[in-house]
Amino acid sequence: MFLPRAGHIPLLLLLAFTLHLCSAAPPLSPTSAGPGCSCYRAAGNEKALFLHHQFFDFRPLGNETFASNLTVPATIDDSQDGGIEPLTSPFFDKGLFGDYFTPASWTKNASDSAPVFMVNSHQNVYLGRDASDAPVHLTLRTNRLSSFQSASDLQTTETAYLHASIRIRARVAGSPGACAGMFTYLTDDQESDIEILTRDDHSTIRATNQPGLPPAVTLPQMPAQIQCQIIPDASTPITISKSGSSAIGSWTEWNEYQLNWLPGQSEWLINGVSKLNKTYGVPTQPSNFQLKMWSDGSSWPGNMTVGGLATLDIEWIDMVYNISGEASGATCQKTCTIDNIANNAVPQISRGNTHTARIGSVPTLVLGTFLASILLF
């Protein structure tokens, strides 16, 4: 299930939607992605309102359209150091998921502080599943070669997000020495991260707002043990709790990670429970959203052993968000929630929503542009 931008309906998408109408499962019509919602709330700061909603669900993609593309691609070898490999599935083409997220293929040279040459490859971004009858998931992969680290980077084509609530159902596995990143990004000083380091204890993730170093400090000047952590408020370890329980969880299991980016405040939630609020380094500029699985041998991810491999698997991405540069003053007739509902793709009208909220009257509101409303299945 995939909710793209209204108004962009290529022929293949219409065909996929038509096929879904013939299936046993009750389909969503192109206009029923929400019950007339004009604003959205998410868990955390209940005063924050958003006008966009997109839900990307990879679990049902094992149908005939993409079934032939669910074989795990071969790992990158030492000869593939250019990052020029093709996309692993038509799903990532323009006109489908590629209209919203694009795999990157940039490289990063080795340095004193990051001694491993890193190459991002399309071949490390693919659809997979645990068994032939299991739900499909999106995978980002990194593996260590003798002369470089093969990595993966998936970026939104939208670059003007300004405040958002982003939820990802994900798990991480593999060798120490990798970093799984889910984050908003404009520059190294305008960045807010959910990060999972495979060198960490399995119950720990990192909540980080950049910058992590004072402007006058460069990594080669710093002792290795405190690189990237010189500003105490920048990065904070968080312990995973299992869903509906106080028991300690593990990032090797499926968990729901949530980043709330609001004016002057960042909030991190795991499995619906608020874990941390931070006022340091909250981004203030329009940004994109990125997913990465990487290492460069620096002290932050660590230096993966040659032959090592790690993966970030994602079942779905659920986003409510706003876009920079639009006029305020519109009226929010119906406020909907994306939390504790039966179907993530169909937000529900918030309980007690009997008033009209005027956009701009809530301090944390910035206008957005659209409600995504087409289903790909």
Side-chain angles (χ1 to χ4, degrees), residues 50-217:
F50 305 93
L51 291 189
H52 299 247
H53 177 237
Q54 282 187 313
F55 180 59
F56 302 94
D57 192 354
F58 307 104
R59 293 170 296 181
L61 291 177
N63 56 35
E64 293 183 5
T65 305
F66 300 110
S68 61
N69 304 110
L70 296 178
T71 301
V72 176
T75 53
I76 297 296
D77 62 37
D78 281 289
S79 68
Q80 297 173 289
D81 61 356
I84 59 173
E85 292 73 36
L87 297 172
T88 58
S89 168
F91 181 70
F92 299 108
D93 286 338
K94 293 295 183 183
L96 293 173
F97 187 66
D99 277 353
Y100 311 98
F101 283 83
T102 302
S105 57
W106 53 274
T107 63
K108 179 177 180 286
N109 290 329
S111 66
D112 290 342
S113 60
V116 180
F117 178 47
M118 185 174 72
V119 181
N120 287 285
S121 171
H122 292 170
Q123 195 164 310
N124 289 326
V125 180
Y126 54 91
L127 298 173
R129 59 186 358 164
D130 293 344
S132 59
D133 58 349
V136 173
H137 53 258
L138 170 70
T139 295
L140 280 75
R141 180 177 63 190
T142 185
N143 66 293
R144 180 73 152 85
L145 289 306
S146 59
S147 57
F148 68 97
Q149 182 86 28
S150 183
S152 48
D153 183 2
L154 194 61
Q155 305 185 13
T156 60
T157 56
E158 179 63 76
T159 60
Y161 299 123
L162 189 58
H163 309 123
S165 178
I166 303 169
R167 297 188 298 172
I168 307 103
R169 181 168 168 82
R171 68 182 180 188
V172 172
S175 307
C179 176
M182 299 162 269
F183 58 102
T184 63
Y185 182 82
L186 175 65
T187 67
D188 290 346
D189 291 345
Q190 291 282 318
E191 178 180 350
S192 189
D193 304 292
I194 301 168
E195 293 178 299
I196 299 172
L197 306 179
T198 56
R199 64 177 174 84
D200 274 345
D201 182 275
H202 287 187
S203 63
T204 300
I205 73 165
R206 308 296 184 104
T208 306
N209 277 350
Q210 303 292 348
L213 292 170
V217 176

Side-chain angles (χ1 to χ4, degrees), residues 2-19 30 66 90-91 93-100 373-377:
F2 169 52
L3 297 176
R5 184 187 301 260
H8 293 195
I9 315 175
L11 179 60
L12 183 57
L13 238 165
L14 288 175
L15 177 59
F17 179 71
T18 301
L19 292 174
F66 300 110
F91 181 70
D93 286 338
K94 293 295 183 183
L96 293 173
F97 187 66
D99 277 353
Y100 311 98
S373 58
I374 307 298
L375 175 66
L376 170 63
F377 179 25

